[in-house]
Amino acid sequence: MHLKSLTLKGFKSFAQTTTLNFEPGVTAVVGPNGSGKSNVVDALAWVMGEQGVKSLRGAKMEDVIFAGTSTQAPLGRASVELVIDNSDGALPIEYSEVSISRTLFRNGVSEYAINGDQCRLLDVQELLSDSGLGREMHVIVGQGQLDSILRADPMERRGLIEEAAGVLKYRRRKERSERKLEAMQGNLQRLNDLISEVGRQLKPLAKQAEVAKRAKDIGERLAEVRSKLYSMQLRELDSRLSQLNASESEKRAEREILNQQLESTAGYISELEQSLLASDGSEAKELVYKFESLQRRAESTQSILQQKIQSLQNESDFEVDTASLSNHR
């Protein structure tokens, strides 16, 4: 596996599209001061996922975009494409040639692509990690780093050896897993707090729910009892009304009979008066006695009749009130 080409456009001093072809055996880039040798190394680190601004010799990430000159306007984005010969299958991908590109816009948005397909930074790092390439790998040594490597203590050298052996990928995975576990632990703690808070609220809510259920049951029973009571009262009123209607017919018949008796008595009295006028004295006394007796009977009958009429009148008034109450219900 070796680098085939590196294409830069708008990256630092490379305003125009510049392609560097690396044939097998090329191991160095030489040139005078200010020719952009360090920018080529920065472009290699940047396209492989470098996120450290200081490692790219800048103050902010937008500094990698061509800032312009007195004769040329600044650009709005920087892009670098790296082509790797993968004929030996060193990269875990089914392509003999792998293209990795990165584009940065001035609004801070970055885009990554592998063989033209957009992807994540993590996908690029995972692809290069098994080959010893990528961010913080030993294959790229910047200015001033060689002396620090030579002066490194055993622990620092161990780190360099681990990076060269490809252990860094697993260390990163371990770090990501630990961060996920810490986040999960925090979520579990918040969940336990929430469960405790909900548990404290469950008891009064359960009591309120029980009271509401009992109130609902009592309301339903009360409505049922009221309905039955109204039905019983309505049936009772209907029965009484029927009885009053039946008794009214009987009382009307009785009133007719009393009226007939009164008319008969009045007629008999009239006949007696006529006989009295036509008869002599002895018969007159007898007739006066009978007349007085009949008069007393008539008065008694008339009193009874008046009482009956008054009773019927009172019952008729009660019937009217009952009918009015029934219509209101």
Side-chain angles (χ1 to χ4, degrees), residues 154-280:
M155 293 302 298
E156 293 175 349
R157 291 179 181 176
R158 177 183 176 180
L160 294 173
I161 294 173
E162 288 178 351
E163 291 177 3
V167 179
L168 184 60
K169 176 183 69 173
Y170 302 101
R171 184 189 301 169
R172 290 175 179 170
R173 291 180 180 178
K174 178 182 177 182
E175 292 175 355
R176 288 196 298 269
S177 300
E178 289 177 348
R179 287 194 297 269
K180 289 181 179 180
L181 287 175
E182 291 177 358
M184 185 63 68
Q185 186 65 32
N187 293 333
L188 287 175
Q189 184 63 37
R190 288 191 293 271
L191 180 60
N192 290 331
D193 295 340
L194 182 60
I195 291 174
S196 301
E197 181 65 23
V198 172
R200 286 193 296 268
Q201 298 177 1
L202 280 179
K203 291 184 179 180
L205 289 176
K207 291 181 180 179
Q208 294 177 8
E210 183 65 24
V211 170
K213 182 179 179 181
R214 291 179 59 187
K216 181 180 178 182
D217 295 340
I218 292 174
E220 292 177 353
R221 292 178 59 187
L222 181 60
E224 183 179 358
V225 170
R226 285 179 177 175
S227 177
K228 291 182 179 179
L229 180 60
Y230 293 154
S231 299
M232 292 174 60
Q233 291 178 350
L234 183 60
R235 287 195 298 270
E236 183 178 357
L237 291 175
D238 289 340
S239 177
R240 292 179 61 183
L241 183 60
S242 299
Q243 293 176 1
L244 289 174
N245 292 332
S247 62
E248 177 65 20
S249 300
E250 295 176 356
K251 289 174 181 178
R252 286 177 182 175
E254 185 178 358
R255 183 187 298 176
E256 294 294 332
I257 294 173
L258 292 174
N259 287 332
Q260 292 176 3
Q261 290 179 358
L262 182 60
E263 292 175 358
S264 176
T265 302
Y268 185 63
I269 291 173
S270 178
E271 291 177 359
L272 288 177
E273 288 177 350
Q274 292 177 3
S275 298
L276 180 60
L277 293 174
S279 61
D280 54 6

Side-chain angles (χ1 to χ4, degrees), residues 17 25 30-31 46 61 67 71 85 94 102 122 125 136 138 158 162 197 206 238 244 248 253 278 285 306 323 327:
T17 302
V30 296
W46 186 73
M61 188 58 71
T71 59
D85 183 359
E94 295 179 356
R102 179 178 180 179
L122 180 62
Q125 293 175 347
E136 297 181 2
H138 69 289
R158 177 183 176 180
E162 288 178 351
E197 181 65 23
D238 289 340
L244 289 174
E248 177 65 20
K285 291 180 180 180
Q306 291 294 333
N327 291 331

Side-chain angles (χ1 to χ4, degrees), residues 13-14 29-39 57 143:
S13 60
F14 295 92
V29 176
V30 296
N33 293 335
S35 61
K37 301 186 300 298
S38 298
N39 292 340
R57 298 177 298 117
Q143 293 180 359

